[in-house]
Amino acid sequence: MQQEQANGSGAGLGVLVGARADGDPAASVALARLADGLGFGEIMIGEATGHDAFALGCALGAGPAKLCLGPLPAAVRDPVTTARGAATVAALTGRATGVALAASTSTVVEDWHGRSRSDAVTIVAESAQALRGLLAGEPVDYNGALVRTKGYVGSLPPSNAQLSVLAFGAELIEVAAARADRLILPIGTVEHVSRLRARVHAASERVGRAAAPKIALWLPVAVEPDAEQRRTLLRDLVPYLRSAGFSGMFSEAGFGELVRLARSGAHVRSVVAAAAPELLAAVAAVGDVAAVRAVLGEFRAVGVDDLILVPDRPETLEALAA
């Protein structure tokens, strides 16, 4: 039985693997293969300080789930390397393959790779524009302000990959609405996602698109976590509390004091200790199986097309698939 059917909905349900800074590629492969075996429809392969997303995608080999490679930093992965990598993964695995672009962080783009992030929105927008033709195997002659490509013709069959953009903030939402097949939101409350859906549709209408891009949401999930697992989930939220792009969302949800503490430079332990239990309930699906499935239903009801689960441990996926 497909996972969407097992959970009583046609909405897409996937799993994010390999996005943690301490990620072990072998553990990521094991989690991805578990998701394959349990019938989840999509495996999104992030990358941080460990594996390369294209390499991990090839390591998975054949399987039923479609793959989404990334989010990839657009300032580092130029359109040709992205299109060629997607075609390689599709050819070697036989899977439907997508790619996701992101602006990424100054640490990744400037410190690690020595590239400029001074106009991240333009790089994402122009990369997305150039990629649409390259992913379809078309010759592309593109001469943007920051992104240029001419004359590349791949020798592999094109991946025809779905193009996603990781978007937070008004400018990247506009980019996704105009140029992507799907907008990915890295975290969100039900209320925030509901407002976002309306903004994406409005932005798509302004550029004359017949249909708005799909919306995908990363959703932390944990079935009956213990105290330490809950603390880990809270620690993973601290960077979002500190981010200008998300602090407003958390403040609107009633966590303004915690946002101020996080943005004051307080240690992660202090922020976690001060967090109310309601914080997890606002942006994650935590509890018994019925409670987790109820949260999935709430996000589907406000227009999320694809829920990409970020599980605390493999047992959570097994419990949800049972």
Side-chain angles (χ1 to χ4, degrees), residues 66-281:
K66 64 182 178 182
L67 302 181
C68 181
L69 305 163
L72 308 169
V76 176
R77 301 274 198 179
D78 66 80
V80 167
T81 57
T82 299
R84 185 175 57 201
T88 302
V89 173
L92 291 176
T93 66
R95 297 178 188 250
T97 302
V99 297
L101 297 180
S104 196
T105 65
S106 296
T107 297
V108 172
V109 175
E110 297 179 342
D111 295 345
W112 293 2
H113 294 281
R115 308 286 179 85
S116 173
R117 195 182 176 275
S118 60
D119 196 348
V121 173
T122 297
I123 289 179
V124 173
E126 293 186 348
S127 295
Q129 184 69 27
L131 262 174
R132 295 200 69 86
L134 291 169
L135 293 171
E138 301 167 357
V140 172
D141 184 353
Y142 185 81
N143 189 26
L146 298 173
V147 175
R148 300 173 184 84
T149 183
K150 179 180 180 180
Y152 174 77
V153 178
S155 59
L156 294 173
S159 65
N160 293 306
Q162 179 188 59
L163 177 61
S164 300
V165 168
L166 186 73
F168 50 93
E171 291 179 304
L172 283 172
I173 289 171
E174 292 283 338
V175 170
R179 304 187 180 188
D181 300 310
R182 184 171 68 167
L183 180 154
I184 302 172
L185 187 66
I187 202 163
T189 64
V190 170
E191 294 77 12
H192 179 73
V193 174
S194 179
R195 292 193 298 269
L196 176 75
R197 167 60 79 181
R199 291 170 61 190
V200 170
H201 276 270
S204 297
E205 290 176 0
R206 282 195 295 271
V207 298
R209 288 190 67 171
K214 290 184 175 182
I215 291 180
L217 172 71
W218 289 352
L219 183 65
V221 292
V223 173
E224 298 181 347
D226 60 24
E228 181 55 36
Q229 288 158 347
R230 283 179 175 271
R231 282 191 290 271
T232 298
L233 289 168
L234 288 169
R235 283 195 294 271
D236 289 342
L237 294 180
V238 172
Y240 294 109
L241 290 166
R242 291 175 172 163
S243 166
F246 290 96
S247 58
M249 178 190 74
F250 283 106
S251 294
E252 289 175 1
F255 304 104
E257 288 296 326
L258 190 65
V259 167
R260 284 187 282 276
L261 176 64
R263 302 198 75 186
S264 73
H267 195 278
V268 171
R269 286 194 299 271
S270 299
V271 179
V272 170
E278 291 79 12
L279 179 64
L280 281 182

